[in-house]
Amino acid sequence: MTTRAIPAIPALPAPAGTDRMLLIETFVRIVEAGSLSAAAAQMGGTQPTVSRRLQLLERTMGVRLLKRSTHAIRLTEDGQRCYERGKELLATWQSFESEVRGAGDEPAGMLRVVAPHVFGQDQFVEPLARYLKRYPNMRVEWLLHDRMPDLIAENVDCAIRVGAVTDPSVVAVKLGEVPRIVVASPDLLQGGPVPQDPSELARLPWLALRTFYRTDVSLTHCGSGDVQGFDIHPRLSTDGLHALRNAAIQGLGAALGSAWAMQADLAAGRLVHLAPQWRADALPVYLVYAPSRFQPARLRRFIEIMREHLPAELEAGLAGGGQPVRG
């Protein structure tokens, strides 16, 4: 079976007056929207206009950028390179505009943010709402998952991360810290006294939050600073904090989790705070973004809102004024 090569397109200069940035933006929109018609809808134009811009960009560059079929579009190898460079050019241009217009310029456009499932559904929705209300020309894609995204490849402006940031290629702004406590259902204790010491906790059945602990737990005394650790053999392991909390409420085992996520259940008596004088190390919370010579106004304003209106659970843990640090 032979494979037909994609014919080369002779490179031609763009007609006088052509807005090359508009051609590049149109191409990037097509790729991210998934079709010419969707890109046209986003840009407030028509599909024939978008198609003409794509053809003009291909003629200007002298390469085929997309493979189109009835059901889908795919990037060619040249198209992939053009897409990656095009995003960088657009970001630089937007930053340049922001710098020239001044720091007070109101941002407009799309901001893509990745946030952890639990924080993204609860704590950070209020500052997100403040951002959208303050800047009515902004739109936000609020993507919820717990893994660290590839900021460049996935076209993500920033990510909110719980836990240490180890990637040296990103900039991380520390927002605060989340205290963690040990809890269990009263049913698990079967009417016995509440354990006060880590040695008593080691004898209980356990649940594990795989993201942060799997086979052992280490606790520090709030007063003396003494540290005690012990091994656990979890009956259930999960990567979801809500699942961990609900499993603890069902009496399946003791659990170590964010204090704020347990407060309502502690107040209602569905959970009991075990060894209340002991804590696990608090988890840092960072806002992470890719380094750039020019920072778009949309991202700069978002960072400002996040630092101005931190969830109460993070304010006490804010260290060093939240200054950017390398991961």
Side-chain angles (χ1 to χ4, degrees), residues 92-105 294 300:
T92 300
W93 177 253
Q94 290 167 352
S95 299
F96 172 73
E97 284 187 316
S98 297
E99 293 293 327
V100 171
R101 290 176 180 174
D105 187 44
F294 297 107
R300 187 167 62 248

Side-chain angles (χ1 to χ4, degrees), residues 139-224:
R139 294 171 292 127
V140 173
E141 285 191 23
W142 191 245
L143 310 172
L144 302 182
H145 55 75
D146 295 320
R147 66 174 178 81
M148 178 65 183
D150 184 325
L151 299 171
I152 303 300
E154 298 178 45
N155 193 26
V156 171
D157 290 287
C158 65
I160 297 170
R161 295 288 299 157
V162 177
V165 176
T166 58
D167 184 352
S169 68
V170 301
V171 177
V173 177
K174 189 173 183 181
L175 297 178
E177 294 182 337
V178 180
R180 294 187 294 164
I181 61 174
V182 180
V183 299
S185 165
D187 293 340
L188 188 71
L189 303 179
Q190 298 180 342
V194 175
Q196 300 295 313
D197 189 81
S199 61
E200 300 173 71
L201 300 180
R203 295 193 289 267
L204 296 173
W206 269 81
L207 311 171
L209 187 60
R210 292 173 55 87
T211 315
F212 302 112
Y213 67 97
R214 300 187 180 198
T215 59
D216 60 271
V217 170
S218 179
L219 301 175
T220 302
H221 192 273
C222 298
S224 67

Side-chain angles (χ1 to χ4, degrees), residues 266-286:
L266 290 169
R270 292 184 291 268
L271 292 174
V272 178
H273 187 179
L274 308 186
Q277 295 302 311
W278 295 80
R279 300 281 192 279
D281 290 343
L283 294 175
V285 179
Y286 292 97

Side-chain angles (χ1 to χ4, degrees), residues 106-107 128-138 301 304-305 308-309:
E106 182 171 299
L128 170 63
R130 289 178 182 267
Y131 177 77
L132 288 170
K133 289 176 181 178
R134 184 176 297 182
Y135 304 112
N137 293 323
M138 281 301 308
R301 297 291 181 251
E304 290 171 359
I305 290 283
E308 287 174 9
H309 303 285

Side-chain angles (χ1 to χ4, degrees), residues 22 24-47 50 53 73 83 90 108-112 137 139 141 155:
L22 179 60
I24 294 171
E25 180 184 5
T26 300
F27 172 61
V28 170
R29 288 288 188 96
I30 292 170
V31 175
E32 295 180 349
S35 70
L36 274 68
S37 58
Q42 289 183 9
M43 300 185 75
T46 65
Q47 183 171 336
V50 168
R53 290 175 185 168
I73 60 172
Y83 171 62
L90 288 174
M110 174 69 74
L111 184 78
R112 288 171 56 86
N137 293 323
R139 294 171 292 127
E141 285 191 23
N155 193 26

Side-chain angles (χ1 to χ4, degrees), residues 241-285:
L241 181 58
H242 279 325
L244 181 82
R245 185 197 66 191
N246 290 334
I249 291 172
Q250 294 298 319
L252 296 181
L256 175 62
S258 301
W260 64 264
M262 312 296 179
Q263 289 302 324
D265 296 306
L266 290 169
R270 292 184 291 268
L271 292 174
V272 178
H273 187 179
L274 308 186
Q277 295 302 311
W278 295 80
R279 300 281 192 279
D281 290 343
L283 294 175
V285 179

